[in-house]
Amino acid sequence: QVQLVESGGGLVQAGGSLRLSCAASGRTFSRDVMGWFRLAPGKEREFVAAISSGGSTYYADSVKGRFTISRDNAKNTVYLQMNSLKPEDTAVYYCAADPPPFPSWSGSYYYPDSYDDWGQGTQVTVSS
């Protein structure tokens, strides 16, 4: 098991930027798919972004062009750079880890059930 701790959330104005960090401990995650999900009031847990061990990135349509996911395996940390924030981005953001082996079907990174370990979340609030 890996322990994940998110940080960097806060209150920002629409159009602003924020960078979230997810620090892992317990094991290295260099081979894992790392993902970000968010949970807004009255909505289901939503996929935001994911990054593979090789650096391939995947984004929800709602955040493409605005958010960037990256990882620093030496620091055992994954980041989510959020630009041009909108009020609808307001949510608790969660970091998740999916170690190998991975499903043979494509797109598994999109689904929360694919991930084994989750952080406690960090609140992001975007004001109008």
Side-chain angles (χ1 to χ4, degrees):
Q1 184 181 5
V2 61
Q3 292 76 49
L4 304 174
V5 179
E6 302 95 335
S7 62
L11 175 64
V12 298
Q13 294 184 347
S17 298
L18 203 62
R19 188 181 74 161
L20 306 183
S21 298
C22 174
S25 61
R27 63 169 176 84
T28 60
F29 64 36
S30 60
R31 297 184 64 195
D32 294 16
V33 171
M34 301 298 298
W36 286 97
F37 291 78
R38 64 189 182 186
L39 182 63
K43 300 184 68 175
E44 295 182 345
R45 185 167 46 181
E46 178 188 21
F47 169 76
V48 177
I51 185 167
S52 74
S53 62
S56 297
T57 57
Y58 312 91
Y59 297 96
D61 288 342
S62 59
V63 306
K64 285 182 179 178
R66 300 189 298 121
F67 291 10
T68 302
I69 187 172
S70 61
R71 66 194 299 163
D72 186 339
N73 288 338
K75 295 182 178 180
N76 230 25
T77 302
V78 64
Y79 305 94
L80 185 67
Q81 178 67 47
M82 305 185 293
N83 298 326
S84 302
L85 283 163
K86 304 175 181 179
E88 52 262 44
D89 295 319
T90 295
V92 177
Y93 283 71
Y94 297 90
C95 176
D98 179 19
F102 308 116
S104 60
W105 49 279
S106 62
S108 63
Y109 58 86
Y110 183 84
Y111 300 96
D113 287 349
S114 297
Y115 295 82
D116 290 353
D117 300 293
W118 294 80
Q120 295 299 306
T122 184
Q123 176 71 49
V124 172
T125 303
V126 184
S127 62
S128 300

